[in-house]
Amino acid sequence: MDALIEAGNKADRKKRRSYGPPKDPSSSQHRNPPLGSEGKGKETAKGPAKPAEEVDAVVASISRNTAVPRALAKLGSKTPKTELKLENNKFTPWAFQHKLHHQARWREEAQEALEDAEILKTEERGTMVTEGPMERTFKMSQDDIANSIGEEQRRYRKEWKLDGGAYRSRYTRNGRHIAIAGKRGHVASFDWLTGKMHCELELRETCRDITYLNDHSHFAVAQKQHLYIYDQQGIELHRLREHIDITRLEYLPYHWLLVSVGNPGVLRYHDTSIGHVVATNKTKLGACHSMTQNPHNAVIYLGHQNGTVTLWTPNLDEPAVKLLAHLGGVTSLSVDPSTSGRYLATSGMDGKVKVWDCRNWKGCVREWEQRGTGHAEVDWSQKGFLGVASGGTVN
């Protein structure tokens, strides 16, 4: 075997010994005639002879001992050539035109799919339409609504009868889980769609508000003295001593900030990622019992007992906006999520409900007297409808 390898190496060395330009046999036999000698020599039928091309010695020596593989030679013949086509008096490569044709076809297919989807939209959801001018939507009961909708939507109707006093509730951002906190200390977190209970607690002290953190795995409860954080199993994880006598809670999910305000009138921003209070603002307007947030810019709205509404951000020591909304205390606030936080709804102890334009604050857009007795609670839906709950009815 070694002898064969050595013989092969000798043959390769013999092939590599010859260097220099290859001999062109045609160069010695066919030469161009000298200048001024037309007609003396013989001319070929194809015309005058072409001058000989110059040959590179290095390229010739390499090409003589090398060859293109057969697989690559076959592929080289099939390689597409770039062509230029005239379109709108402009030259464009064929690949660019091919891409434009594909994009045009995709746009046509998307438009056809959109038109097919619009056929399925037989009616709009989330609205109540009266049959005559004398009919009023506020007179319709829950049973009337349940009887007029389909069976699939009817099964989502839930009703719970609780005896823990006045309750505060909060949904997760996806709307799947709900947490409730009763004034007498009953706290629960569960999946309202399937009815699966995550945890249920009897704290035996006053609970004023509850809110979820990033998801349903953690929630915060404003109890009688301090603020507590629990996990999904109901185990107490933290007691935040900086938050004293809290009445309302909000959580900013994109900033990881837990916001609280209470009877002392101090607004605190607690960073849940590091566990420290990052901002403390004294409102100097007394106790506060209503708070909400704008989900589009994370601005906190506070309603005070003297009828003032203030807007706060953690980087300002003074309120960004200060507005006298009602002649009595403000009982509830809500920001419209369907209009990017453009409208603000407020209800006060003077028995009035007002809608404000957050772009100019020159005056309320609409104002009316609330129906029923007691303090009214206002809340906007995702479709832009305002619900007002007062005296056991929702309008």
Side-chain angles (χ1 to χ4, degrees), residues 172 174 176-179 187-201 212 215-219 231-235:
T172 54
N174 58 6
R176 183 65 182 269
H177 306 273
I178 183 175
V187 176
S189 175
F190 55 93
D191 186 343
W192 70 270
L193 189 60
T194 60
K196 180 182 178 181
M197 180 70 68
H198 300 317
C199 66
E200 187 174 9
L201 304 174
Y212 281 111
D215 53 11
H216 66 282
S217 60
H218 297 86
F219 59 91
D231 64 355
Q232 188 176 358
Q233 287 76 28
I235 301 174

Side-chain angles (χ1 to χ4, degrees), residues 364-382:
C364 61
V365 178
R366 188 177 177 185
E367 176 184 358
W368 67 90
E369 297 285 342
Q370 70 180 36
R371 297 186 180 93
T373 59
H375 301 324
E377 291 285 338
V378 295
D379 196 8
W380 289 94
S381 69
Q382 294 180 350

Side-chain angles (χ1 to χ4, degrees), residues 325-326 350 352-356 364-369:
H326 295 272
D350 55 357
K352 293 183 179 181
V353 179
K354 298 181 180 180
V355 178
W356 305 84
C364 61
V365 178
R366 188 177 177 185
E367 176 184 358
W368 67 90
E369 297 285 342

